[in-house]
Structures are given as structure tokens and as C-alpha cells.
Amino acid sequence: MEELVRYMAESLVDDPESVEVREVRGRSGKVLELRVADDDMGRVIGKGGRIVNAMRSLVDVAAEQKDTRVRLDVVD
């Protein structure tokens, strides 16, 4: 899952070296925390949150195939 999120984020941002994905345990499953440079935050979130919601949908599909629950959070 982390590799998928990293690939999507690095494809969107101007500074791919600043992309960090960290997995933490949440109450209802895994939580993937995505961090990018401040200048790239808008590129990852998108207008009205469309890009980040699309990324979350892809993560949901990939997690469902593995019978797990994963949530994607973009962190400052």
C-alpha cells in the first residue's frame, strides 16, 4: 500500500524527494500518513479535494483486494 501512495504522490509533486509515507496503527486498521513539501500540498489535495479523494478511492480498492482496512491521511 505504501508503495502505491508513494508512486501516486511522487507523480504529482515537483519535489518527489520530499514525499514521505508512514504507516501507523489506527483503531479501525492501518493509517497511511502522507507528507509532502508545503509548496506541493495543493497539488496532492487538488481543487476541492478531488485528487486526494481519488487517491483514497484507489487505496480503498487495493486494501479491499487484500481484505484489510486502510485510511489515507495527508499530514502537514
Side-chain angles (χ1 to χ4, degrees):
M1 249 6 105
E2 291 178 50
E3 297 84 24
L4 174 64
V5 173
R6 182 179 312 280
Y7 176 77
M8 290 187 290
E10 287 177 350
S11 299
L12 293 169
V13 300
D14 286 335
D15 185 13
E17 288 84 33
S18 70
V19 173
E20 295 178 26
V21 181
R22 190 173 71 142
E23 181 180 315
V24 295
R25 283 277 177 211
R27 285 181 261 167
S28 62
K30 295 179 188 177
V31 177
L32 294 177
E33 293 182 344
L34 173 62
R35 294 178 194 274
V36 296
D38 290 337
D39 295 339
D40 291 326
M41 191 65 75
R43 295 180 191 275
V44 172
I45 294 173
K47 190 173 188 176
R50 289 182 184 178
I51 294 175
V52 74
N53 286 335
M55 291 173 67
R56 287 178 177 139
S57 295
L58 290 172
V59 168
D60 287 343
V61 169
E64 187 175 314
Q65 289 178 349
K66 294 184 178 185
D67 290 329
T68 61
R69 294 186 56 93
V70 179
R71 189 177 83 219
L72 175 61
D73 289 340
V74 180
V75 186
D76 289 339

